């Protein structure tokens, strides 16, 4: 073997090692394999946040949208709905098994937030499970089917008659959270886009 090939072999080996090392970390802002599993404990413990977003509602008869402002705490939540399908401005509140909806027509109560919204607004979001789904998690009290993408992140979730497709993600304070969800139930389609995620994370 001549001198040149003998020199090329270690140089090529070093180049390959350098290439592998360069590809190991994902570029900033991009998801990578293993990240979802690594944050599982922090995500499960996340029970307090404020977020703002938009929801698009589509049925065979109509299509409309509204703005959402959601404040979530361990024993209380408030969901402010404003815009066309919010009938102007509506506030849904839940506290220790009691639910109320305040609209321009007054304040109403029901046994479940879904029934309350259906009765007063004529449509409903799966509020009881949404605090889990919005974190990319299935609710823990009913059966579900979860499909993951090639990186191990949730891709498609089926639960309580709903199908949830996770379309986009955002990274906030070192935690990956869903940014865009498409939820379908029979002929109802809800597209939820989070424009501002503010999780309260313990250090």
């Amino acid at each position: 073997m001549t001198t040149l090939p003998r020199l090329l072999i270690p140089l090529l080996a070093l180049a390959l090692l350098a290439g592998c090392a360069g590809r190991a970390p994902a570029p900033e802002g991009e998801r990578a394999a293993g990240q979802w599993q690594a944050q599982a404990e922090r995500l499960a413990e996340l029970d307090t946040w404020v977020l703002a977003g938009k929801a698009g509602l589509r049925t065979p008869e109509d299509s409309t949208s509204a703005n959402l402002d959601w404040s979530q705490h361990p024993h209380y939540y408030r969901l402010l709905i404003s815009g066309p399908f919010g009938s102007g401005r509506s506030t849904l509140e839940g506290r220790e098994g009691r639910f109320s909806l305040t609209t321009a027509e007054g304040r109403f109560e029901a046994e479940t937030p879904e029934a309350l919204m259906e009765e007063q607004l004529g449509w409903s979001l799966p509020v009881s499970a949404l605090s889990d789904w919005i974190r990319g998690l299935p609710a823990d009290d009913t059966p579900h089917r979860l499909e993951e993408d090639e990186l191990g992140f949730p891709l498609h979730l089926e639960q309580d008659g709903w199908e949830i497709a996770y379309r986009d993600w955002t990274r906030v304070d070192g935690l990956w959270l869903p940014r865009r969800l498409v939820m379908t139930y029979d002929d109802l389609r809800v597209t939820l886009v989070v424009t501002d995620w503010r999780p309260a994370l313990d250090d």
Side-chain angles (χ1 to χ4, degrees):
M1 182 179 288
T2 65
T3 302
L4 184 58
R6 281 202 299 267
L7 289 173
L8 284 176
I9 291 173
L11 287 174
L12 288 171
L14 286 173
L16 287 172
L17 288 172
C20 291
R23 286 193 298 271
E28 186 66 26
E30 291 187 13
R31 295 180 299 128
Q35 290 180 329
W36 183 258
Q37 291 75 14
Q39 69 175 25
E41 186 175 342
R42 294 179 71 207
L43 192 64
E45 293 175 351
L46 177 60
D47 58 9
T48 304
W49 64 77
V50 175
L51 68 78
K54 297 182 178 180
L57 180 74
R58 191 174 73 188
T59 68
E61 295 79 26
D62 197 12
S63 179
T64 186
S65 63
N67 296 320
L68 302 177
D69 288 284
W70 183 352
S71 178
Q72 178 76 31
H73 303 274
H75 304 292
Y76 168 78
Y77 67 80
R78 182 186 65 202
L79 187 60
L80 177 63
I81 307 164
S82 57
F85 74 67
S87 300
R89 185 184 178 95
S90 304
T91 303
L92 177 68
E93 296 177 279
R95 187 193 303 271
E96 298 178 346
R98 300 184 62 183
F99 309 100
S100 67
L101 181 68
T102 303
T103 70
E105 306 298 322
R107 185 174 183 275
F108 308 90
E109 295 186 356
E111 293 186 358
T112 68
E114 291 83 3
L116 191 56
M117 296 177 73
E118 188 67 42
E119 290 171 5
Q120 302 302 324
L121 302 179
W123 56 271
S124 178
L125 294 176
V127 178
S128 298
L130 199 56
S131 61
D132 292 309
W133 297 348
I134 196 66
R135 290 178 290 156
L137 301 174
D140 59 9
D141 54 353
T142 58
H144 70 274
R145 179 178 176 273
L146 178 63
E147 178 185 350
E148 299 176 347
D149 65 15
E150 67 278 4
L151 299 178
F153 281 68
L155 179 65
H156 187 263
L157 172 65
E158 297 178 15
Q159 191 168 31
D160 298 335
W162 284 85
E163 296 186 12
I164 303 95
Y166 291 94
R167 298 291 179 81
D168 196 14
W169 299 83
T170 185
R171 190 171 176 85
V172 183
D173 295 334
L175 192 67
W176 282 103
L177 295 164
R179 194 190 76 85
R180 185 170 183 263
L181 299 76
V182 178
M183 305 183 295
T184 56
Y185 187 97
D186 292 336
D187 57 3
L188 172 65
R189 178 185 174 96
V190 180
T191 300
L192 179 59
V193 178
V194 181
T195 55
D196 187 15
W197 248 119
R198 298 183 186 179
L201 298 167
D202 294 329
D203 296 328

